[in-house]
Amino acid sequence: KLSIRLQEVGGFVPQDAILLDIGSDHAYLPIHLVRMGRIKSAIAGEVVQGPYDSAKSNIAAFGLSDSITVRLASGLAAFDPEIDGVDTITIAGMGGHLIADILGEGQEKLAQISRLILQPNNGEWYLRNWLQAHQFQISHEMILTENDKLYEIIVASPSKTLIELSEDDLRFGPILRREKSEVFRLKWQSELRAYQAILSQIPVSAADKRQDFLEKIAKIEEVLDVSK
Ligand code: SAM
């Protein structure tokens, strides 16, 4: 059964999309979406031979080799914008830095993409900052837990009239920080405890460093409305 994390990623894929799933591993996500009648076709991109082979055999086992193509390639090299008609890209289960690097390496190929659905395991600030710097507007965000892990999903589209993100938006998520869901609170309460633990170890003599952490803590408390 598909993880809740990947089901939620798939939920943001537009109906009848032509999908490129980068780092597809077993190709579970494109297989799920084709079987649900959600997408027209998909390319599953994988840079490592083992996962590439398992994607291929899974797709064949479901009889979906006509609608899902597997390509052994790094990042955006898996598709040709003039031939493949890809309009949606998913990249899930990697660090935010790696996701941004993958997008940055073939940036001119993103011109025809209408939606990016990204699920960074960390480095969310960096990824949001990259999106902003490259004219992508975040349209949806989601935070969820599965097996005691926290995951964020960031959905973005190219935009000529970008609404600039504040430092708080970059850090907490422009949509997540306004929604303040239960899971969002859990994440930042745990970050808060971690920062407080670090602060308690910083000697009073390191005043600048203490100040730095005090500011980080105050910011999280503000977002969590701790005083209320
Ligand atoms: N997307 C799946 C998920 O979310 O469950 C699999 C995540 S798995 C942790 C990351 C996959 O990305 C691995 O199979 C790895 O080989 C692949 N990968 C890493 N860098 C890549 C790149 N530059 N291009 C394509 N695939 C890559």
Side-chain angles (χ1 to χ4, degrees):
K1 182 148 168 30
L2 193 67
S3 64
I4 296 170
R5 174 182 61 86
L6 283 180
Q7 285 182 43
E8 296 292 1
V9 168
F12 289 109
V13 174
Q15 182 65 40
D16 297 326
I18 299 179
L19 177 71
L20 168 62
D21 182 37
I22 297 178
S24 200
D25 200 352
H26 301 85
Y28 290 149
L29 179 61
I31 290 172
H32 165 77
L33 290 170
V34 169
R35 294 185 75 213
M36 301 280 288
R38 289 287 318 285
I39 57 174
K40 272 194 199 142
S41 64
I43 297 168
E46 244 305 328
V47 76
V48 176
Q49 187 73 44
Y52 167 84
D53 291 338
S54 87
K56 260 199 124 85
S57 59
N58 280 336
I59 290 162
F62 279 102
L64 296 178
S65 304
D66 286 345
S67 37
I68 310 173
T69 313
V70 194
R71 294 192 184 147
L72 189 62
S74 177
L76 299 171
F79 84 114
D80 181 336
E82 280 168 28
I83 299 170
D84 294 317
V86 168
D87 54 31
T88 304
I89 295 178
T90 47
I91 312 180
M94 300 180 208
H97 281 72
L98 179 56
I99 294 177
D101 286 350
I102 286 174
L103 294 171
E105 257 170 46
Q107 222 172 288
E108 64 293 339
K109 289 180 141 185
L110 298 176
Q112 65 171 45
I113 301 302
S114 53
R115 185 174 269 205
L116 300 174
I117 303 150
L118 312 171
Q119 185 270 299
N121 288 339
N122 52 45
E124 292 86 359
W125 182 95
Y126 186 90
L127 183 57
R128 288 190 187 98
N129 196 45
W130 189 95
L131 291 169
Q132 158 124 310
H134 295 85
Q135 301 286 306
F136 282 90
Q137 188 84 60
I138 296 174
S139 59
H140 305 76
E141 289 181 310
M142 179 181 269
I143 183 163
L144 64 123
T145 55
E146 184 170 33
N147 302 327
D148 293 328
K149 283 200 183 137
L150 284 156
Y151 300 103
E152 292 189 13
I153 301 171
I154 299 172
V155 183
S157 299
S159 166
K160 293 206 170 69
T161 52
L162 213 58
I163 303 165
E164 206 176 315
L165 300 178
S166 66
E167 189 53 39
D168 284 358
D169 289 335
L170 292 173
R171 182 118 181 265
F172 300 99
I175 295 163
L176 296 179
R177 84 180 177 93
R178 291 182 172 87
E179 276 178 3
K180 290 189 193 172
S181 69
E182 198 55 42
V183 183
F184 175 87
R185 290 178 166 281
L186 275 174
K187 167 174 175 163
W188 289 103
Q189 276 155 2
S190 122
E191 295 277 316
L192 185 61
R193 282 194 295 274
Y195 280 131
Q196 281 162 339
I198 296 170
L199 179 66
S200 70
Q201 303 295 317
I202 304 176
V204 181
S205 57
D208 284 358
K209 205 168 173 203
R210 287 187 69 85
Q211 188 54 33
D212 201 33
F213 273 86
L214 282 168
E215 278 167 22
K216 285 194 170 105
I217 287 169
K219 180 52 79 185
I220 299 173
E221 285 177 339
E222 183 190 315
V223 169
L224 289 173
D225 296 324
V226 168
S227 57
K228 282 180 196 162

